[in-house]
């Protein structure tokens, strides 16, 4: 069941990217990128980035839900992105891992309060700039 949802997400992302590029004069976003010796679907990377924004939104009222979202949707993917950056930009890789580590520390030392929201939003920004290195454009988190 998860695989079919994943495949649907890939197709939707590919169609959206192709549609967004039509007539705009811009190159369409890649459907997959090479990263850390793997071929990774752009939709998966966007899900990782989006999960950080969802966790930031949840953290204001439900830190447990934010923790589940972060570790369930984004945490492992951040490690993948950081590994991919090792060959492209080691400083950006380090910045991504440092931002992730701050969020992990926030979850381990409750009450996290507004600090976790700010740290998750910062991680989202670093993740966006990291993905840009692979020509993947993730949206910024919506304003709180």
């Amino acid at each position: 069941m998860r695989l079919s949802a994943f495949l649907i997400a890939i197709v939707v992302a590919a169609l959206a990217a192709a549609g967004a590029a039509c007539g705009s004069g811009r190159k369409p976003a890649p459907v997959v990128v090479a990263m850390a010796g793997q071929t990774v679907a752009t939709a998966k990377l966007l899900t990782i980035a989006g999960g950080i924004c969802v966790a930031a939104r949840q953290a204001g009222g439900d830190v447990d839900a934010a923790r589940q979202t972060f570790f369930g949707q984004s945490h492992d993917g951040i490690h993948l992105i950081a590994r991919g950056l090792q060959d492209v930009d080691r400083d950006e890789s380090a910045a991504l891992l440092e931002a992730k580590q701050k969020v992990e520390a926030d979850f381990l030392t409750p009450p996290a309060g507004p600090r976790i929201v700010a740290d998750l939003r910062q991680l989202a920004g670093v993740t966006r700039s990291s993905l840009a290195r692979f020509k993947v454009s993730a949206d910024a988190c919506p304003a709180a």
Side-chain angles (χ1 to χ4, degrees), residues 58-136:
Q58 292 171 324
D62 188 347
V63 175
D64 288 332
R67 180 183 298 109
Q68 287 180 328
T69 299
F70 174 72
F71 284 103
Q73 192 170 339
S74 301
H75 180 268
D76 291 346
I78 294 168
H79 285 280
L80 172 65
I81 296 165
R83 281 194 312 273
L85 283 168
Q86 287 293 310
D87 296 331
V88 179
D89 186 337
R90 292 181 69 81
D91 290 338
E92 184 76 15
S93 177
L96 179 62
L97 291 173
E98 288 170 3
K100 178 197 62 74
Q101 188 174 14
K102 284 175 74 174
V103 169
E104 291 170 337
D106 290 344
F107 281 130
L108 291 174
T109 56
R115 181 183 70 238
I116 187 125
V117 175
D119 287 346
L120 280 161
R121 291 182 72 76
Q122 179 178 352
L123 175 59
V126 175
T127 301
R128 259 191 333 279
S129 65
S130 296
L131 290 175
R133 298 294 306 222
F134 297 97
K135 306 215 181 325
V136 174

Side-chain angles (χ1 to χ4, degrees), residues 13 29 41-52 73 131 136-139:
T42 301
K44 178 179 179 177
L45 298 171
L46 295 175
T47 297
I48 293 163
I52 300 167
Q73 192 170 339
L131 290 175
V136 174
S137 179
D139 292 333

Side-chain angles (χ1 to χ4, degrees), residues 4-25:
S4 63
F6 177 72
L7 292 174
I8 290 170
I10 290 173
V11 170
V12 169
L15 291 174
C22 283
S24 69

